[in-house]
Structure formats: structure tokens, C-alpha cells
């Protein structure tokens, strides 16, 4: 935590100013943002305190689980890359990331085409990335792609999850993940909840036998989706299926 805060404080003022100007381009300036853009030490102290407070309240209590899940996600991605190359790696990262050689397509917050820096690509799974991936491109640095990863279900307060007590934490996590938009392959679900591929397959088989999910093929992919019973168990209604991945919904192209 201290290293992260030190890195924030070491950010050059010109970069702080440029990023704040871009982020608030459509809003009128305020005295606080103006002081932030000028790297006012008092405002930077306030910002540092806010980040430290948020970290202590939200992440620190679950840091062990988060670190374990991160290591698992990295190991799973490494295995997919070794076994199936770039196609296998990018297919399992996130529904908003698609690989159409030689273009990596990312459905993010803005539209446009980005040219790579020639320094490679860094993939960073994050449970606090928000609903969409984020792309950061800086000259002479690897392109940074931060993509959403599920918060480990074990980070929840023990005993506070009725569904987890009924089905078990992993099956409850898989069921909840299936209620979210996207193409839910076994590999993607395993990475999302932080379990091995064989463990995810075993739990999905149990959920299918209970009538909570159904499984079918879409070309070479095996996709899972909730049944109406599974949807009702989560408190919703009806069948929740995988989201669309039509080409016209991909908004950003990144050329490595």
C-alpha cells in the first residue's frame, strides 16, 4: 500500500494536469480540481488519505483472498496461452475483449483505434476495474489493459450468504456469474470465480443436474446459461442467457 501511495505522489504534475483536463473536459472547472491539477501538496495529502481510507475499508480485510485469486487468474491465463496461444488466452479473459488477428478489440468507455507502442502488452485482472476494461497507452511503455475480474466470493462475510450456505460458495458464485451479461464458457467462469477448470466443470455439472443451468454448443465453444429455475433462485425472473458479441458492438480496436 505504501509503495502505491508513493507512486501516486511521484506522478509528474504535468501528467496530473493532463489527465484531469481530459477527464473533466466537459465540466466547468472547480477550485478543488484546479488545485489538484496544480499538484497542490495539501490536496495531494487529502487524496492520499482518501485512497488509504478506501483501501483499509474495502480491500485490506480481504487482501489474502484477493492475492490468492490474482495468482490463480495469472496462472490460468498462462496455461491458456501455453496450450492454445493468443486465441485461447484472449477468449477467456472477459466478454468485452475479443481477438481478431491482428487486432485486439476491447469494448471500453471510448471509441477509436489505438496503435500499439511496440513495447508489448500488460494484462491486469482487477476486481475494482469497473464493468468495462480500461486501456492505457503511453509512449515507450507496454500497453496496459486492465479488465474486470470477480471479487472472490470467499471475501464475503462468513455465513452472511444464504445462497452460499445452500449451494456452497463456489456454486453460488458460478450461478451469480451466469446472471451477468457475456458468453459464459467453462474457462471464463473458472477464471471469474478463481477456481481450476476441472473444479468449475464439476460444479457446473452439479448445477446442471439440479436444473439450475443448461449447457449447449455454439460452434467450437461450450456455453452455459441460467434456466428459469436458476434465475428465480437468484431472485430474478426468467432465463438469463449469454450476452451478444456481435461485431458491431465492439467499439475499440487495439493493434499490437
Amino acid at each position: 500500500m505504501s509503495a502505491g501511495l508513493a507512486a501516486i505522489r511521484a506522478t509528474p504534475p504535468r501528467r496530473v494536469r493532463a489527465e484531469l483536463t481530459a477527464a473533466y473536459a466537459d465540466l466547468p472547472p472547480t477550485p478543488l480540481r484546479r488545485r489538484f491539477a496544480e499538484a497542490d501538496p495539501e490536496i495531494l495529502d487529502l487524496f492520499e488519505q482518501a485512497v488509504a481510507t478506501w483501501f483499509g475499508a474495502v480491500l485490506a480485510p480481504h487482501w489474502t483472498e484477493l492475492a490468492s485469486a490474482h495468482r490463480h487468474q495469472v496462472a490460468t491465463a498462462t496455461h491458456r496461452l501455453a496450450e492454445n496461444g493468443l486465441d485461447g488466452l484472449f477468449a477467456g479473459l472477459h466478454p468485452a475483449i475479443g481477438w481478431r488477428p491482428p487486432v485486439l478489440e476491447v469494448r471500453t468507455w471510448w471509441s477509436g483505434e489505438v496503435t500499439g507502442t511496440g513495447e508489448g502488452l500488460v494484462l491486469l485482472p482487477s476486481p475494482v476495474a469497473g464493468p468495462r476494461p480500461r486501456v492505457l497507452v503511453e509512449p515507450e511503455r507496454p500497453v496496459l489493459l486492465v479488465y474486470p475480474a470477480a471479487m472472490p466470493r470467499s471475501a464475503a462475510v462468513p455465513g452472511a450468504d444464504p445462497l452460499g450456505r445452500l449451494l456452497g460458495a463456489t456454486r453460488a458464485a458460478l450461478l451469480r456469474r451466469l446472471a451477468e451479461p457475456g458468453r459464459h464458457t467453462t474457462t471464463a467462469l473458472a477464471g471469474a470465480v478463481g477456481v481450476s477448470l476441472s473444479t468449475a466443470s464439476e460444479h457446473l455439472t452439479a448445477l446442471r443436474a439440479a436444473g439450475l443451468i443448461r449447457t449447449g454448443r455454439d460452434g467450437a465453444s461450450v456455453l452455459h446459461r441460467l434456466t428459469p429455475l436458476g434465475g428465480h433462485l437468484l431472485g430474478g425472473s426468467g432465463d438469463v442467457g449469454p450476452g451478444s458479441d456481435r461485431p458491431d458492438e465492439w467499439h475499440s480496436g487495439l493493434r499490437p
Side-chain angles (χ1 to χ4, degrees):
M1 178 59 187
S2 58
L5 291 175
I8 291 174
R9 291 301 296 262
T11 304
R14 64 180 180 278
R15 178 172 176 179
V16 175
R17 186 161 45 251
E19 293 188 0
L20 282 174
T21 299
Y24 295 99
D26 299 328
L27 297 174
T30 66
L32 183 62
R33 285 202 297 272
R34 189 176 291 111
R35 291 175 64 188
F36 197 178
E38 293 170 355
D40 184 318
E42 182 179 353
I43 301 303
L44 292 180
D45 286 342
L46 182 63
F47 179 71
E48 182 177 324
Q49 293 168 15
V51 172
T53 299
W54 180 85
F55 177 87
V58 177
L59 297 183
H62 312 300
W63 194 249
T64 300
E65 294 96 332
L66 288 167
S68 177
H70 177 79
R71 288 192 296 269
H72 176 80
Q73 288 158 357
V74 171
T76 299
T78 302
H79 177 76
R80 288 199 302 262
L81 178 62
E83 290 289 322
N84 302 301
L86 290 176
D87 290 342
L89 171 64
F90 290 127
L93 289 183
H94 190 269
I97 299 173
W99 174 238
R100 302 177 189 273
V103 177
L104 181 62
E105 297 177 326
V106 183
R107 189 165 60 234
T108 185
W109 298 103
W110 43 267
S111 300
E113 184 171 302
V114 174
T115 302
T117 63
E119 301 294 331
L121 175 69
V122 174
L123 302 172
L124 178 61
S126 172
V128 294
R132 298 184 185 180
R134 298 172 183 270
V135 179
L136 177 63
V137 182
E138 294 184 295
E140 301 181 358
R141 289 178 177 269
V143 174
L144 177 63
L145 173 56
V146 182
Y147 60 93
M151 180 77 79
R153 293 299 176 183
S154 57
V157 177
D161 179 14
L163 187 61
R165 294 201 302 271
L166 175 66
L167 300 177
T170 301
R171 291 176 189 175
L174 288 167
L175 205 64
R176 288 193 175 99
R177 187 69 179 182
L178 284 163
E180 299 175 4
R183 288 168 55 85
H184 298 300
T185 65
T186 306
T187 300
L189 289 167
V193 303
V195 298
S196 68
L197 191 60
S198 60
T199 298
S201 180
E202 179 182 344
H203 287 302
L204 289 166
T205 298
L207 292 172
R208 185 166 57 251
L212 301 178
I213 70 171
R214 65 168 61 101
T215 300
R217 284 198 170 272
D218 181 13
S221 301
V222 176
L223 300 180
H224 307 279
R225 62 188 300 176
L226 288 177
T227 63
L229 177 60
H232 284 301
L233 188 62
L234 289 173
S237 60
D239 197 354
V240 182
S244 169
D245 63 341
R246 293 175 301 170
D248 60 0
E249 292 187 354
W250 295 93
H251 299 313
S252 296
L254 176 63
R255 294 184 179 274

